[in-house]
Amino acid sequence: MTDTTVTPAPQRGRKKLFIKTYGCQMNVYDSERMRDVLTPLGYEPSDSPEGADLVILNTCHIREKAAEKVYSELGRLKPLKEEKAASGAPMTVAVAGCVAQAGGPEIQRRAPVVDLVVGPQTYHKLPELIASVHRGRGEALDTEFEVEEKFDALATPDRQIEGYTAFVTVQEGCDKFCTFCVVPYTRGAEWSRPVDQIVAEVRALAAKGVREVTLLGQNVNAFHGQAPSGHEADGTWGLGRLVRHLALIGGIERIRFTTSHPKDMDEELIETFADEAKLMPYFHLPVQSGSDRILRAMNRKHSAEEYLAIIERLRQARPDIAISGDFIVGFPGETEGDFEATMDLVRQVGYAACFSFKYSRRPGTPAASLGAQVDEAVASERLARLQALLGEQQEAFNRSMVGKALPVLFERTGRHDGQISGRSPYLQAVHCDGPESLIGQIAEVEIVSASRNALAGRLTGGKRSAA
Ligand code: 5AD
Ligand code: SF4
C-alpha cells in the first residue's frame, strides 16, 4: 500500500486540482474518476497543494496508520489554507474515501480545515458539493451508499488515460465481515457492475492504447454482474466468464484481477486460468493466517487446508501460476503456535510476493473488543520473522526467472539512456536496453539477473503472446 498522486493530464481551465491518494488500487481508480468528473468544471492539474484551489485527500481506513496519515496531512494543509485565504485565493479541502465514510462529521470537528467530506459512493456528486461549498451554503456532507448511482453517473468510457495499463472497478463492497476489517463498513454491501458497462469501459480504454487491464473489487471473485444485452437469459455472469469476454476485445493483451477471497473461488475461474492466455498467471489470494483457530476468530470462513487445496488446484490448471497473498500477524489471541502455523503455510505455498501487516485494532470491528490483544513487541518480532521468510521467497522466485524468456509489457523509459522498463506476467519490474518505440508493446526479454525487487535482461527480438 503506497501513497500515490494522480497528476491530471493538462487541460485548459482556470482552477487547479491536487488529489493525493492513499491505500489500495480502488482508490487510485476512484481518484481518476474524481479528476474526470471535475474536468468539465475547468479544473486542471496541480502537482502540489500549494498551487491548488481544490485539494482532495482520497483516504484509506484499513489500518490505523493509514487513517492517521490523513490527519497529519490535514495539519500541514491548515497553515497553507490560511495563508491562501489571507491572500484572497481561497482553497477548498475535501476528504474522500474510506476515512470519509467511516469518520463522517467527526472529521470536520477534528479538522476544521476540511470543507467537504465525501464517501466513496458519491463522487459523482462532487461538482454539486463543491459548488455548494463555494456558495457558502455551509457544511456539505455526503456519505450515503448508492454505488449503483455512482457508476451510472460517472461517465467511465470517457475517462482520461495515460499509459498502457489501467484499473477498472467491476465490483465494490464486501459482505464477508472478517472480524478485523473495516471494509464492509466503509465500502458497504457487495455489488457488481453490469457487464455491458464494463465492456464499454474496457473497449474505450483499448481504443486509447491500453494493453493491460486490472479488474478491481474488494471481493472481485464474488463478481456476479448482470449479463450483457443479448445474453439476458443468462442472468448474471461470474468473473471467469467476464474475463473470457473481455479477452475478446481487440488491443487488450493482458488481464488481471484483484482482490479475491478463497471462499468465492469457483471452478470456472480456475478453468479460465487454464485456457485463457490473456489472463496473467499471477494470482493474489489473501489467507491472513495459517492457523485454523485464528482463521475462525477472523471469520474467514475457510481452513488452512481448504486454502492449500485451492492453490493446488490452481497449479494443476496452470502450472506456471505464481501466488501472492496478504497476512496479518498479532491478531488477538494469536499464540506462538498459531504463528508457526502461518510460517508453515507460507513454506508450503512458496509465494512470489506478499503484503504482511501487524494487526491494527479498528474501533467498531468485532475483533477490537476481543481480549488477549497481542503485545506490540511480540507482534513486531513475528512480523519481522514472517517478512524475512516472504522476502527470501520473493527473491528465490525472481532468481528462478534467470535464463528464461519472459514477455514484457514496456511502459516507460528506464533510469539511464537507452533503457526501457516494463512488467513481466508476474508483475515483476523488468529493465533492459531497447528502443523507445517498444513502449506500449509486449516483447520478449531473456532474464540475465534478478534481485528482490526487479529483473534485468536483454531483448531476444521475439514478440510473443502476453504470457
Ligand atoms: N489490521 C491489519 N491488517 C489489516 N488488513 C485489513 N484490515 C486489517 C487490520 N485491521 C489487511 C489484510 C487485507 C489487506 C488489504 O489489509 O491483510 O487483506
Ligand atoms: Fe475485509 Fe474480509 Fe471483506 Fe477482505 S473479505 S474486504 S478482509 S471483510
Side-chain angles (χ1 to χ4, degrees):
M1 297 229 170
T2 49
D3 297 351
T4 34
T5 299
V6 171
T7 312
Q11 280 235 342
R12 290 182 72 79
R14 285 167 297 109
K15 293 167 282 184
K16 299 272 191 182
L17 166 67
F18 177 78
I19 305 182
K20 182 158 184 169
T21 309
Y22 301 82
C24 66
Q25 289 111 326
M26 194 168 291
N27 270 5
V28 175
Y29 178 88
D30 280 346
S31 289
E32 289 177 5
R33 299 288 68 68
M34 286 192 265
R35 175 191 72 184
D36 291 348
V37 93
L38 291 169
T39 302
L41 267 71
Y43 280 97
E44 64 169 28
S46 165
D47 47 24
S48 70
E50 285 74 17
D53 303 287
L54 170 61
V55 172
I56 301 177
L57 305 184
N58 190 9
T59 62
C60 172
H61 198 242
I62 197 113
R63 286 169 293 273
E64 191 178 0
K65 241 192 224 159
E68 280 309 316
K69 272 191 201 167
V70 175
Y71 287 101
S72 318
E73 186 64 33
L74 289 171
R76 281 193 290 276
L77 287 174
K78 189 167 174 270
L80 177 65
K81 183 173 174 172
E82 285 165 359
E83 200 181 295
K84 292 185 93 157
S87 67
M91 182 172 94
T92 303
V93 175
V95 173
C98 294
V99 171
Q101 185 61 46
E106 183 54 35
I107 298 171
Q108 274 163 313
R109 267 197 292 278
R110 189 168 158 193
V113 65
V114 174
D115 299 293
L116 184 65
V117 177
V118 54
Q121 309 318 342
T122 45
Y123 297 150
H124 54 293
K125 294 189 190 162
L126 260 176
E128 188 189 321
L129 292 168
I130 287 165
S132 84
V133 169
H134 287 185
R135 276 189 236 109
R137 271 208 237 119
E139 191 179 278
L141 181 73
D142 207 330
T143 56
E144 295 295 304
F145 281 125
E146 293 162 28
V147 68
E148 198 162 346
E149 200 183 315
K150 165 182 168 176
F151 283 109
D152 281 347
L154 294 179
T156 42
D158 296 333
R159 59 189 279 198
Q160 302 166 32
I161 192 82
E162 296 149 49
Y164 305 95
T165 62
F167 296 128
V168 176
T169 294
V170 301
Q171 180 280 333
E172 263 204 67
C174 181
D175 294 335
K176 294 282 184 302
F177 291 93
C178 298
T179 54
F180 52 80
C181 186
V182 290
V183 166
Y185 312 97
T186 57
R187 289 277 172 170
E190 215 248 294
W191 184 82
S192 297
R193 281 176 86 186
V195 174
D196 271 343
Q197 227 186 60
I198 299 165
V199 170
E201 184 167 350
V202 174
R203 278 218 184 97
L205 289 169
K208 288 179 179 164
V210 166
R211 296 287 158 258
E212 173 179 309
V213 288
T214 301
L215 310 179
L216 297 180
Q218 269 91 26
N219 244 283
V220 73
N221 61 337
F223 177 81
H224 56 280
Q226 183 195 318
S229 353
H231 295 76
E232 285 86 353
D234 296 1
T236 60
W237 284 15
L239 188 63
R241 188 151 182 199
L242 177 70
V243 166
R244 288 176 206 261
H245 195 66
L246 296 177
L248 301 173
I249 295 175
I252 297 300
E253 302 278 355
R254 291 177 162 191
I255 301 175
R256 307 177 185 277
F257 55 84
T258 195
T259 293
S260 300
H261 191 289
K263 204 64 199 157
D264 292 318
M265 282 313 289
D266 65 23
E267 195 52 29
E268 181 172 18
L269 190 55
I270 295 177
E271 283 302 320
T272 311
F273 275 108
D275 54 33
E276 180 46 72
K278 290 185 179 177
L279 179 59
M280 291 296 96
Y282 183 71
F283 187 37
H284 185 63
L285 191 62
V287 62
Q288 317 296 359
S289 169
S291 154
D292 286 343
R293 213 174 61 80
I294 296 297
L295 287 171
R296 256 195 313 279
M298 286 176 163
N299 192 31
R300 288 290 293 178
K301 309 179 205 296
H302 63 82
S303 64
E305 201 176 273
E306 282 162 338
Y307 177 84
L308 290 168
I310 294 168
I311 303 293
E312 199 180 304
R313 180 71 196 92
L314 281 161
R315 285 184 166 148
Q316 278 165 4
R318 180 104 180 216
D320 62 342
I321 201 163
I323 307 294
S324 71
D326 290 344
F327 291 91
I328 296 176
V329 302
F331 184 83
E334 184 188 71
T335 62
E336 184 59 25
D338 293 319
F339 175 68
E340 273 307 329
T342 298
M343 295 289 275
D344 275 350
L345 179 139
V346 170
R347 284 186 205 101
Q348 284 183 68
V349 173
Y351 285 96
C354 277
F355 298 101
S356 48
F357 312 99
K358 234 187 303 181
Y359 169 70
S360 169
R361 197 178 155 271
R362 310 307 288 122
T365 59
S369 48
L370 291 176
Q373 300 278 331
V374 172
D375 186 75
E376 180 75 19
V378 172
S380 298
E381 187 269 338
R382 287 181 189 161
L383 185 65
R385 273 196 280 159
L386 176 62
Q387 290 187 337
L389 177 60
L390 291 171
E392 276 167 31
Q393 291 193 343
Q394 181 168 332
E395 197 164 334
F397 178 71
N398 286 354
R399 289 201 191 290
S400 74
M401 299 290 134
V402 174
K404 287 193 178 145
L406 293 180
V408 172
L409 171 57
F410 288 101
E411 290 170 68
R412 58 184 70 86
T413 52
R415 277 199 209 106
H416 63 74
D417 262 7
Q419 193 188 52
I420 51 176
S421 300
R423 297 265 168 194
S424 76
Y426 306 110
L427 270 185
Q428 295 148 305
V430 182
H431 310 292
C432 70
D433 287 341
E436 279 184 34
S437 58
L438 277 182
I439 294 176
Q441 298 194 37
I442 294 172
E444 195 177 73
V445 175
E446 186 196 338
I447 305 304
V448 294
S449 69
S451 67
R452 189 164 287 194
N453 296 316
L455 307 178
R458 57 175 162 260
L459 289 167
T460 63
K463 267 207 193 177
R464 67 31 345 39
S465 64

